[in-house]
Amino acid sequence: MRRGTFVRWGVPVAAAAVIAAAVGAGPVIAAVGGPPALPERSAQQLLADALAAAEKSPPPMSGTVQQTASLGLPALPAAGAGSPVALLSGSHEVKVWYGANGKFRIAMPTQLNETNLIVNEGQAWYWDSAANTATKLHWQGGARRSPAPSAPAATHADLTPQAAAEKVLEQAGEHTAIRVINTAEVAGRPVYQLVLAPKDDGSLVQEVRLALDGETYVPLQVQVYAKGAAEPAFQVGFTQVTFTPPAEENFTFTPPAGAKVEERSLGADGEAGKETRPGDADRAARGLKVVGDGWTRVAVVKASAADLTGGTPSDGERQGERQGEWRGHGGDEADGRAVVADLLKKATPVSGPWGSGRLISTKLVTALLTDDGRLLVGAVTPEEITEAAGVR
Amino acid sequence: MTTVTHEAGAPSGAAPPSGPAAPAIVTRGLTKRFRGGQVAVDTLDLSVPRGSVFGFLGPNGSGKTTTIRMLLGLVAPTSGEHALLGLPLAAALPRVGALVEGPAFYPYLSGEANLRRFDAADPTAPAATVRRRVGEALDRVGLTAAAGKRYRNYSLGMRQRLAIAAALLGPRELLVLDEPTNGLDPQGTREVRALVKEIAADGTTVFVSSHLLAEVEQMCTHAAVMRAGKLVAQGTIASLSGGQPVRVRIETPDAAAAVRVLAALGLAGVHIGAVEGGTEVTAELGGHAPERINAALVGADVPVRGLAVVRPSLEDVFVGLTGEGFDVDG
Amino acid sequence: MSTAETEIRRAPEPATIVEAGPSAEGRPAAAPAPVARARWTFWRLLGSELGLTFRRPRNLVMLGVLAAVPVLLGVTLRLMTADDEGGVGGIIAAAAGNSLMLTFASLSFLVTLLMPVAVSVVAGDAVAGEAGAGTLRYLLAAPAGRTRLLAVKYLNAVVYGFAVTAVVALAALVTGLALFPVGPVTLLSGTTVPVAEGLLRILVSVGYVGAGMAALAAVALAFSTFTEVSIGAIAASVVLVVVSQVLRAVPQLDGLAGYLLPTWWNDFDGVLRSPVDTAALGEGLLVFGAYALLFGSVAWARFTGKDITS
């Protein structure tokens, strides 16, 4: 009987083992299957191939892109799922369909809601099921211009590996040690990993890994590793991808009956430009300065705590004015302000020969708000940023 | 392992006989140690012959119910083996009707629906005849009139009878009744005893557990006595009380004359005792007819106030075996 | 009691010897077509179990309450939208615009807690309730067979889980058809499908949510085998659901969410996308299967070895 007890409980134990094996199957199979055999490439060859491929239009494809950030920020107040602030922590998924001739669709599914950006031959629709609103987007200027960052879906567009990879490539150069790994796999496809490691010790970035599909050189994943962390602090990449042309229905959109339809014109001198970013001119006037170079560049902006949090009760007049300005926006800016106010509360007071201020450090980014009204931000160590604060 | 019958490697000589020749219940070294180390049943070797009405006697907490639960496969023995009707448990249980620790039914169902429910659980019970069999079982315990009544409205006696009806749903070769008269009024108790006798008369083996000595004495042909998890005696009722012969008891003011007459008749174990208002003389009856003893006493002018044949009571035996008194009121 | 189970299979051997013997009187022979017989008696026991479940007033009240919620939701929505746009958006607005959408809105609202509670009550009560009432010992002495009884209990809870889902969907569908316009359905992706396809998608989501409830039933049944107090098993199961829902809402524990059962229940909204998010639905079904397998086997290991002392 007692011997039977062990045999009997062996069944659930075996079930648990089977499930655990199935859950961990991806990594296990990758490990057991040995390194995928991609021919070795030098960084230069790979970059050349990739850039050549980038000049042609990428092949039709579709897949799921996941973005994960663990920046080590303090707990953020709850922000709307669609808000850009939400992207600073946790993981997010978008679905991407890319057809020939620059047609694409990006969908961000959330629970019982979905936002879509559909671009097809100079016409673009932005659909938000939560608001039941379809927005038709026009833009002036170059025909092949991608939707401007001021489009409501800008945050989604930034998530595509293509866009992110371009940014990383720009930064490669004298400050970076580059190597290539040919044994990695992303979304089940063998990839080349271009590893960019900053040479400067002052940087918080350990390395940036850019995964290029072994066959098509389409960037499939970008990972940013902070110093001393085994898991990437920021990662965006495909979790599933197929290089077959997606169904044509994905790129056609007809506003459903009963939905609100809006039109919006985007462009450098478009009306909407002013509408969406009334503070742009204001911000430009404050001036943006860059201190340092390479990976240790620090951005310096004129800003005070009151500016960032929308004022304090003591300067009520100013606050009222600002409030009026912000009323025109959605919840995003309000979310942002709340986050900043929250972060400032948790900031560490620091001081030095350069003055004094409050320091916010995360795994990847350090920010310093000086009491004389400057905001310094960079992917650098606190020492580096206080040094930058000394540069006037 | 709950049965011995087909255990691989068990020496065939040690295994109890299987099939129809086998006793209704056999246990070998049956032991149950509960978590916490308490031994409820300790190396029990029980043998219940077919066709017997077997009393399973012992004070409350002596391991009777645990034994019955092991026999029915509800509790796994720590060690030891057992077999019902010489069959593997799953094959035997459909031929066994059981009442374990009082009735338990679905309060929101009628008596009839309750019986149908338990009949459905028996994989060998033919669904086609369920209506007839449920009707017969209810009829047998006299619950036909209350068949459609919800169980929650049944009286205690009706509940007990419904439980017995559930045990009689199919043709049974063995009935296991755990304290069948528990909580019943005298009328209910009499009804249950009559029912048991009736069932036994059909050739069904009945295994009755009880803490009531009188009940076992009245109903059973065989008995076993449990004490603190151990079996202290088993056998026929007669063999259990074998040490104590039937005696004749004469109440008379002239004891000496009576003793002389009895001695002359050849009765052994003559004994004189005092009773209220006189003396009594007792002797082993042996093969003598009581009426002849009376005639001899009267013939010798012994004044007889009373004459009785005293059958031996199990009580003295059992109290001696179990070390504690029984509740003999039942 | 593994022996009780193995012996069922071994039974014919010695049993037939006895049937042939002289004292086997009156007993209908168990020998002919034992397999077909066993199958039939299994369905008979399941039928008895279902009869018990669907006649028990408590279980019917739960179904009634679950049917009433979509009706209330629909009526409230109707009254709210009667005096023009109240600024509601998303699925609620969609429900007011199309009769079929009320079904999805109701499912998404009820699947978070109320439906799981109903399923937990039936599945958590399954073994513990019988043990507490003492009827378990008579079922097992009948003999119902432990594996057989557990299988019947689980299937019964699964049927109830699907019934709960179907009742919510039907009540919502009928309410929606009565109160809101019937017409092509706008999916979350902004595309429109005809009514017939909308109904088909409702059917798929009922199947998916029902499977999710079946996975929960396995968890509650496993709890049920560890106690004789059914309220304990029910409470444990409900607490598990509530705690999972809370953990799911904490953004810092994002990595944990995928392992929690309730995370997957709402993924039925995959049917409302274009194209249908079969990947999410398939993954959800795999998770449900894993939960059912793991907790089903725990329930089995526990129940087949349990001493029935009640």
Side-chain angles (χ1 to χ4, degrees):
Chain A
M1 192 62 232
R2 297 304 141 194
R3 186 194 53 203
T5 306
F6 290 109
V7 176
R8 223 176 316 102
W9 282 98
V11 175
V13 169
V18 166
I19 292 165
V23 168
V28 168
I29 288 168
V32 169
L38 278 181
E40 276 196 27
R41 290 286 168 92
S42 74
Q44 213 174 353
Q45 283 172 314
L46 183 64
L47 272 174
D49 283 347
L51 288 173
E55 272 181 18
K56 290 183 287 175
S57 79
M61 60 189 283
S62 60
T64 306
V65 175
Q66 199 180 44
Q67 177 260 356
T68 331
S70 62
L71 297 176
L73 280 176
L76 293 176
S83 145
V85 170
L87 297 181
L88 292 178
S89 68
S91 83
H92 303 272
E93 229 177 52
V94 295
K95 302 223 170 225
V96 179
W97 293 263
Y98 181 80
N101 308 322
K103 288 184 287 192
F104 68 86
R105 171 184 168 200
I106 299 171
M108 186 166 183
T110 52
Q111 192 176 313
L112 273 176
N113 276 317
E114 192 171 309
T115 49
N116 265 291
L117 177 70
I118 294 150
V119 174
N120 191 356
E121 289 166 12
Q123 204 189 46
W125 282 98
Y126 176 71
W127 160 253
D128 181 356
S129 79
N132 195 24
T133 307
T135 311
K136 189 171 189 180
L137 307 167
H138 308 278
W139 57 87
Q140 284 103 45
R144 292 276 301 139
R145 246 185 85 183
S146 62
S150 48
T155 49
H156 301 172
D158 283 345
L159 286 177
T160 65
Q162 286 92 339
E166 247 167 64
K167 270 184 196 161
V168 173
L169 282 171
E170 267 170 31
Q171 292 192 344
E174 50 175 322
H175 303 283
T176 313
I178 301 178
R179 68 198 155 94
V180 175
I181 297 173
N182 64 340
T183 56
E185 222 179 77
V186 169
R189 290 182 67 91
V191 293
Y192 286 110
Q193 266 190 336
L194 195 62
V195 185
L196 314 168
K199 291 170 177 166
D200 197 319
D201 285 341
S203 173
L204 282 177
V205 177
Q206 168 77 35
E207 58 187 31
V208 174
R209 289 178 176 220
L210 170 67
L212 301 174
D213 186 61
E215 199 182 312
T216 63
Y217 299 103
V218 170
L220 292 184
Q221 191 183 55
V222 176
Q223 294 169 307
V224 182
Y225 286 82
K227 284 223 160 82
E231 297 293 313
F234 178 88
Q235 169 173 323
V236 55
F238 283 96
T239 53
Q240 182 264 316
V241 65
T242 45
F243 286 92
T244 49
E248 207 51 38
E249 300 95 270
N250 284 305
F251 309 115
T252 55
F253 184 81
T254 320
K260 271 179 280 177
V261 180
E262 291 175 1
E263 290 212 14
R264 218 176 245 200
S265 220
L266 309 166
D269 48 359
E271 204 190 337
K274 265 186 205 157
E275 211 177 273
T276 46
R277 285 286 163 105
D280 271 359
D282 187 27
R283 260 166 229 168
R286 282 183 210 157
L288 177 101
K289 205 170 73 172
V290 175
V291 178
D293 53 60
W295 293 87
T296 53
R297 267 184 288 187
V298 172
V300 186
V301 192
K302 283 200 165 53
S304 69
D307 284 343
L308 292 170
T309 58
T312 55
S314 59
D315 54 2
E317 197 184 322
R318 198 178 146 80
Q319 189 197 10
E321 181 192 315
R322 295 227 150 245
Q323 291 288 27
E325 198 181 285
W326 295 29
R327 207 164 279 150
H329 302 269
D332 295 359
E333 297 259 2
D335 275 346
R337 279 191 300 148
V339 171
V340 170
D342 201 50
L343 286 177
L344 283 178
K345 257 182 246 156
K346 289 167 184 164
T348 328
V350 285
S351 62
W354 47 270
S356 64
R358 279 172 282 178
L359 185 77
I360 300 163
S361 51
T362 69
K363 278 194 253 178
L364 208 54
V365 176
T366 306
L368 175 68
L369 183 67
T370 63
D371 293 344
D372 57 8
R374 287 177 300 152
L375 173 67
L376 295 91
V377 181
V380 294
T381 56
E383 294 74 37
E384 200 80 18
I385 211 161
T386 50
E387 198 175 296
V391 183
R392 294 267 169 185
Chain B
M1 294 295 107
T2 49
T3 59
V4 286
T5 346
H6 298 280
E7 257 287 59
S12 54
S18 62
I25 299 173
V26 170
T27 74
R28 229 159 250 224
L30 198 63
T31 300
K32 180 64 187 181
R33 186 177 295 112
F34 280 112
R35 240 178 300 168
Q38 175 218 348
V39 181
V41 176
D42 194 357
T43 50
L44 183 68
D45 293 313
L46 202 62
S47 180
V48 176
R50 293 238 179 183
S52 64
V53 178
F54 196 99
F56 194 42
L57 199 55
N60 287 327
S62 58
K64 302 189 301 285
T65 298
T66 303
T67 304
I68 288 178
R69 283 179 181 275
M70 283 194 280
L71 292 178
L72 297 174
L74 297 173
V75 165
T78 310
S79 62
E81 320 166 315
H82 66 88
L84 301 182
L85 306 169
L87 294 172
L89 192 64
L93 283 179
R95 303 150 187 254
V96 178
L99 169 70
V100 192
E101 261 190 301
F105 291 96
Y106 304 90
Y108 47 90
L109 292 185
S110 71
E112 190 191 359
N114 265 301
L115 293 192
R116 282 168 169 273
R117 162 75 173 158
F118 288 109
D119 192 66
D122 180 354
T124 66
T129 58
V130 63
R131 177 178 289 273
R132 177 177 60 78
R133 285 180 297 112
V134 165
E136 280 172 5
L138 285 170
D139 183 51
R140 195 145 188 201
V141 297
L143 279 179
T144 309
K149 211 164 137 182
R150 274 175 203 275
Y151 176 74
R152 79 166 102 246
N153 299 325
Y154 274 28
S155 70
L156 200 62
M158 289 163 84
R159 290 175 180 203
Q160 196 81 7
R161 284 185 351 231
L162 188 64
I164 294 174
L168 296 173
L169 271 174
R172 308 295 194 196
E173 289 170 42
L174 171 64
L175 263 193
V176 176
L177 303 174
D178 186 13
E179 306 274 4
T181 58
N182 220 7
L184 293 186
D185 57 14
Q187 171 63 22
T189 306
R190 268 195 296 280
E191 282 173 14
V192 167
R193 285 179 190 164
L195 195 60
V196 167
K197 278 185 183 151
E198 201 181 299
I199 293 162
D202 297 345
T204 305
T205 310
V206 184
F207 183 80
V208 196
S209 92
S210 181
H211 65 282
L212 303 179
L213 178 74
E215 186 168 283
V216 169
E217 226 177 337
Q218 285 175 32
M219 288 194 291
C220 302
T221 58
H222 294 65
V225 186
M226 291 284 283
R227 178 195 174 189
K230 286 197 156 114
L231 187 70
V232 288
Q234 71 173 323
T236 60
I237 296 287
S239 74
L240 282 173
S241 54
Q244 296 194 332
V246 180
R247 297 178 79 87
V248 63
R249 179 172 144 266
I250 300 116
E251 208 173 304
T252 171
D254 189 357
V259 169
R260 272 198 304 278
V261 173
L262 292 178
L265 283 170
L267 270 70
V270 181
H271 181 77
I272 304 170
V275 291
E276 205 181 319
T279 51
E280 64 160 27
V281 178
T282 66
E284 287 174 21
L285 187 57
H288 299 269
E291 62 273 19
R292 287 191 176 268
I293 297 171
N294 192 27
L297 286 167
V298 172
D301 275 340
V302 178
V304 176
R305 287 189 183 158
L307 184 143
V309 172
V310 183
R311 303 207 167 268
S313 161
L314 283 178
E315 191 184 350
D316 300 333
V317 184
F318 292 171
V319 167
L321 286 171
T322 61
E324 46 191 303
F326 275 95
D327 174 4
V328 287
D329 306 333
Chain C
M1 279 321 306
S2 56
T3 44
E5 308 309 329
T6 50
E7 277 157 16
I8 289 174
R9 266 165 256 128
R10 279 197 251 146
E13 237 184 286
T16 41
I17 297 166
V18 175
E19 293 301 341
S23 80
E25 25 90 59
R27 187 87 203 152
V35 177
R37 179 90 200 256
R39 209 169 288 154
W40 162 241
T41 61
F42 179 84
W43 295 119
R44 186 181 168 211
L45 183 54
L46 181 59
S48 156
E49 193 69 41
L50 287 171
L52 223 57
T53 302
F54 285 94
R55 257 178 292 170
R56 190 154 180 189
R58 179 192 71 190
N59 299 346
L60 293 177
V61 166
M62 289 194 300
L63 284 180
V65 167
L66 282 167
V69 174
V71 176
L72 275 174
L73 210 63
V75 171
T76 315
L77 205 55
R78 183 66 211 253
L79 295 176
M80 237 163 68
T81 48
D83 41 270
D84 213 43
E85 325 266 297
V88 287
I91 187 79
I92 298 298
N98 191 289
S99 53
L100 299 194
M101 289 307 268
L102 183 65
T103 308
F104 296 105
S106 303
L107 277 179
S108 118
F109 177 59
L110 290 170
V111 83
T112 49
L113 189 64
L114 234 48
M115 284 164 56
V117 166
V119 172
S120 295
V121 166
V122 168
D125 186 52
V127 174
E130 301 263 12
T135 42
L136 184 58
R137 62 175 183 264
Y138 287 114
L139 287 176
L140 291 180
R146 299 206 182 193
T147 304
R148 185 167 162 265
L149 183 62
L150 194 69
V152 162
K153 288 281 180 191
Y154 182 56
L155 281 182
N156 176 63
V158 168
V159 169
Y160 189 78
F162 274 94
V164 159
T165 316
V167 160
V168 168
L170 270 178
L173 193 58
V174 171
T175 310
L177 290 173
L179 297 180
F180 303 110
V182 185
V185 183
T186 302
L187 302 176
L188 294 176
S189 305
T191 40
T192 306
V193 295
V195 177
E197 199 188 322
L199 288 172
L200 186 70
R201 287 179 188 235
I202 286 180
L203 199 66
V204 173
S205 57
V206 164
Y208 179 86
V209 173
M213 295 297 107
L216 176 68
V219 177
L221 185 67
F223 288 151
S224 190
T225 58
F226 281 89
T227 173
E228 285 158 16
V229 188
S230 58
I231 194 75
I234 294 166
S237 172
V238 171
V239 164
L240 188 79
V241 170
V242 171
V243 168
S244 300
Q245 297 282 26
V246 170
L247 290 180
R248 217 157 70 79
V250 179
Q252 277 76 11
L253 299 174
D254 230 33
L256 193 67
Y259 297 98
L260 302 174
L261 187 55
T263 305
W264 300 92
W265 289 335
N266 274 304
D267 277 15
F268 73 85
D269 63 5
V271 306
L272 283 175
R273 304 190 194 278
S274 167
V276 172
D277 195 347
T278 44
L281 294 178
E283 208 180 338
L285 289 177
L286 279 178
V287 169
F288 298 155
Y291 261 87
L293 177 69
L294 182 62
F295 283 89
S297 61
V298 166
W300 177 81
R302 169 66 183 160
F303 187 57
T304 52
K306 191 186 184 185
D307 278 349
I308 310 298
T309 52
S310 60

